[in-house]
Amino acid sequence: MHDLVIRNGTVVTAADIFAADIGVDGGIVTALAPRLSGRTEIEARGRLVIPGGVDSHCHAEQRMSGGVVNADDLFTATRSAACGGTTTVICFALQPREGRFADIVPEYAQRATRCAVDYAFHLWLRNPSEQVLAEELPALIAAGHRSVKVFMTGKANWLDDLALLRVLAVAREHGALVTVHAENWGIHQFMAERLAAGGFRHPKFHAVLKPAIGEREAVHRIASFAELLDTPIQVFHVSAPEAAAEIEAAQRRGARVHGETCVQYLALSAADLNRPGFEAAKWVFGPAPRGSADRHALWDYLKRGVLDVVTSDHAPVNFDAADGKKRWGEDAPLDQIPNGIPGVETRLSILWSEGVAPGRITPCEFVALSSTNAARTFGLYPRKGTIAIGSDADLVVWDPGRTDRVTNAALHHAVDYTPYEGMVLTGWAETTLLRGEVVHHKGRYLGREGQGQWLPRAAYDWLRPAGRFPSGYDPFGQRVTHPDLQ
Ligand code: MN
């Protein structure tokens, strides 16, 4: 007799599909077998049971400068996640440009105690000072923060090449993964100057302000750095096929370069920006939405595993608010419109609807892309990301046959719009369980504030370096291996 049994469902993992009941005790999966019985039972006949989604790219309640605020706090964002079938999120602890991590990480940790699902943080590094790199970052990595986010663009965010290399080196030496926003800052500034001079102020020109060519260049550069230092990286939100091609080329050279994309690059395009007035700002996010044809080409890279994680990049900014999209007015310069769209709740349904329903990917690939691969990449597997004996009972009863329309009124975030309003999606989370407790059923949030747990991450094998130094110099072991210099 188990605490809980999910009966008669079809279990889907990244590897297999099979009929089994799932037994849960103490929040952990303890049995996968036919005809189990439990003190509580959930009937799942005709539905799939999938591992809870892992959304490894989710912004909420960040302390940003400039007066733009995330519409979601860590509770509302994670409540929204739960209602969409996501049970683990990785959010961001944003280092001040001139400040220290020590000043802000405890504060983020405190505010995150309100989370509704399990969570970790990426350390968003903006000040690569010697003290930060030599002392703070190693200490935070050792304390269980195993991922570091860096930007190659944006006035308040970008790091130069030397700083990027130094961060990658610290991550390799101390066992953390660097994730990268890879776009070219010089191109963005140049385009902004010329577009402003040409009078192009309508938000739709966001699509040319930050072109795919700038992403392709930056991906090539950061992939080369990862290769030079023999360390894995994950490139965030790969939006363009030419950027994905750079990742594939790096992988063929043996580099550990992984690529994430987001559902918006699969479901939206620059055509969504092409509408009258400031309304277009609802689709301003970075990297910019690409052409309609690019959107289809990304599926090939997902199918081949070049891109292996699909997230939301949930970046909630209210549309009709003075601290949101309208912070600098409806006539704001093109490069000052606040970027970001919400999406943590709609992620799984869009991926199913665009991916599995039309036959582009299989249900197992869906699970890999939405949960398993992110868990592996960020050191959470197999506690998260799969349905196996000993894993957390983060389970979603998934209704693959339900077709419904997205309305912002039915979502559980704290944002005043969704860029997916009116979109008809097939495949919805029916019931979400976090460590064996029902937190959502049929569109109703049933969990409670503070139910989520922080997930400290130990050093994990996925990060293990290969020991290959194509430059002929190992800067970590201080060895010159160049064949002509022996
Ligand atoms: Mn982001």
Side-chain angles (χ1 to χ4, degrees), residues 57 59 92 149 237 313:
H57 191 161
H59 301 270
F92 295 83
K149 160 79 177 293
H237 42 49
D313 192 3

Side-chain angles (χ1 to χ4, degrees), residues 233-282:
I233 57 169
Q234 188 198 53
V235 180
F236 263 173
H237 42 49
V238 176
S239 67
E242 50 266 63
E246 289 292 345
I247 292 178
E248 185 164 32
Q251 290 171 351
R252 287 197 174 146
R253 295 191 300 268
R256 297 277 313 281
V257 178
H258 293 260
E260 169 213 64
T261 190
C262 313
V263 284
Q264 50 270 40
Y265 302 110
L266 303 169
L268 301 174
S269 72
D272 290 291
L273 282 164
N274 193 17
R275 59 187 80 215
F278 194 68
E279 182 83 3
K282 289 180 178 176

Side-chain angles (χ1 to χ4, degrees), residues 5 24 52 64 122 172 226 323 362 368 448 453 472 478:
V5 165
V24 175
M64 300 180 289
H122 299 303
R172 189 188 190 276
D323 60 5
T362 66
R448 49 185 196 281
Q453 293 180 354
Q478 289 295 5

